[in-house]
Amino acid sequence: GVNVALDDFGTGYSSLTHLRSLSAQTIKIDQSFVRDMLDDPNDYAIIDGIIGLAQSFNREVIAEGVETIDHGVMLLATGCDEAQGYGIARPMPAYDIPAWLSGYIPDAIWTSFAEKNYTPKEIKIQLLLLSLKYWKNSFENNMQSEPGGIEKWPQLKRKKCHCGIFIKQAIQDKLFNKSWLKELGAIHTSMHIIADDLFVKYQEGDVGSARDGLKEFQVVAEKMTQLLMQY
C-alpha cells in the first residue's frame, strides 16, 4: 500500500533504467529544470521529454519547484497536472497541514486552464504567449537594473529562444497558416534586432539611450502578442 516516487528525476544518479527496474509509480521532475523552463527552451524540452517518458511507462509525474502561476500554466499545457513548490504553499509545521488542506483553493487561472479542452494549436499558442511574456519582462527588468547587478539575460539569439524554435518547428509541422507564420517571423526578427541594439548600448555604458529605446521594443513585443492572441 506504499507508493514510491523517484525524486529529482533527470539529475544525479537517476537513470532511464529505473523506470524499467524500480516499482516507482511517480516521477518527480527536478526543480532545476522547472525554474528556467519559461526562459530556457532546453529545460522545457527536458520537461516535455520526461512527461512523455512518464506517459509511455504509465507513470504519474510531479513537477518540483513551481513558484509562479505561469510555471503552473506551462506545466498544465505540457501535460503535467501535479506539482509542488512555493507557488502552492511554503513549508509548514505538520500540525498546520490539515487546516491548509481543508482550505486550499487552486489558483483560478490554473483551474480555468485545466477545465478547458485546448487543441494542439491552441496549446502551442498558449505556451508561446507565456514564454514571450516572460522573455519581455525579463529583458525590460534587466534594462532597468543597474549595470553589474544582472545575473542572467534572456535568450538573445532569435533562433534559440522559445519563439524562434516554435517558428522552425511550426514550419516543419505545417500546423499553421504560412502567411501567419511569415508575419510572426518578421515581427519576431524585428523584436530581436531592437533588443540586440538596446543590449549593446546598455553593455557599452549608454544606459540612458538604451532605456529610452524600450518604448520601441514594447510596441513590437505588443504587436507580436496581439498576433498570437488573434490566431
Side-chain angles (χ1 to χ4, degrees):
V2 176
N3 292 326
V4 176
L6 292 177
D7 200 22
D8 302 332
F9 191 80
T11 64
Y13 292 101
S14 63
S15 170
L16 294 180
T17 58
H18 291 162
L19 298 180
R20 181 182 60 192
S21 59
L22 298 181
S23 299
Q25 182 58 32
T26 303
I27 297 170
K28 298 181 71 175
I29 304 173
D30 187 72
Q31 62 180 328
S32 62
F33 304 126
V34 176
R35 182 179 58 246
D36 295 329
M37 67 183 296
L38 289 163
D39 177 54
D40 192 333
N42 291 325
D43 281 344
Y44 172 76
I46 290 172
I47 291 174
D48 189 40
I50 292 175
I51 292 173
L53 279 171
Q55 293 173 344
S56 297
F57 282 87
N58 194 30
R59 301 292 197 274
E60 297 176 1
V61 62
I62 298 176
E64 303 173 348
V66 175
E67 297 187 354
T68 69
I69 300 302
D70 287 346
H71 281 92
V73 173
M74 182 168 268
L75 286 164
L76 285 168
T78 312
C80 175
D81 58 7
E82 294 189 18
Q84 68 181 61
Y86 290 172
I88 300 171
R90 290 182 174 272
M92 67 184 76
Y95 54 77
D96 286 342
I97 293 178
W100 177 83
L101 282 173
S102 63
Y104 175 69
I105 299 175
D107 184 85
I109 296 177
W110 292 349
T111 302
S112 176
F113 193 94
E115 290 176 348
K116 183 176 180 180
N117 293 320
Y118 288 94
T119 66
K121 287 185 180 180
E122 290 173 332
I123 288 290
K124 289 182 180 295
I125 294 295
Q126 291 297 321
L127 289 170
L128 193 51
L129 281 168
L130 282 171
S131 59
L132 174 61
K133 182 179 77 170
Y134 187 88
W135 191 94
K136 173 181 174 292
N137 290 342
S138 179
F139 183 80
E140 290 176 348
N141 290 337
N142 281 4
M143 294 295 291
Q144 297 293 356
S145 301
E146 293 303 316
I150 299 173
E151 295 183 0
K152 182 180 180 181
W153 286 86
Q155 177 57 257
L156 296 175
K157 294 182 179 181
R158 63 183 179 87
K159 291 186 178 181
K160 292 188 176 182
C161 70
H162 272 291
C163 186
I165 294 174
F166 166 84
I167 292 173
K168 179 180 179 180
Q169 291 178 340
I171 292 174
Q172 295 174 345
D173 296 341
K174 299 179 180 180
L175 283 176
F176 294 88
N177 182 278
K178 288 184 178 180
S179 61
W180 180 81
L181 278 176
K182 185 177 181 180
E183 184 178 1
L184 180 67
I187 297 176
H188 176 244
T189 298
S190 296
M191 185 178 70
H192 270 274
I193 289 174
I194 295 171
D196 289 344
D197 179 60
L198 299 182
F199 175 76
V200 170
K201 289 180 179 178
Y202 183 91
Q203 294 293 85
E204 292 178 348
D206 192 3
V207 178
S209 178
R211 289 173 178 171
D212 289 341
L214 280 175
K215 293 180 180 179
E216 183 182 7
F217 168 79
Q218 290 165 347
V219 169
V220 177
E222 181 60 25
K223 285 183 179 179
M224 187 169 172
T225 300
Q226 292 299 322
L227 184 63
L228 289 170
M229 294 178 67
Q230 291 169 4
Y231 189 88

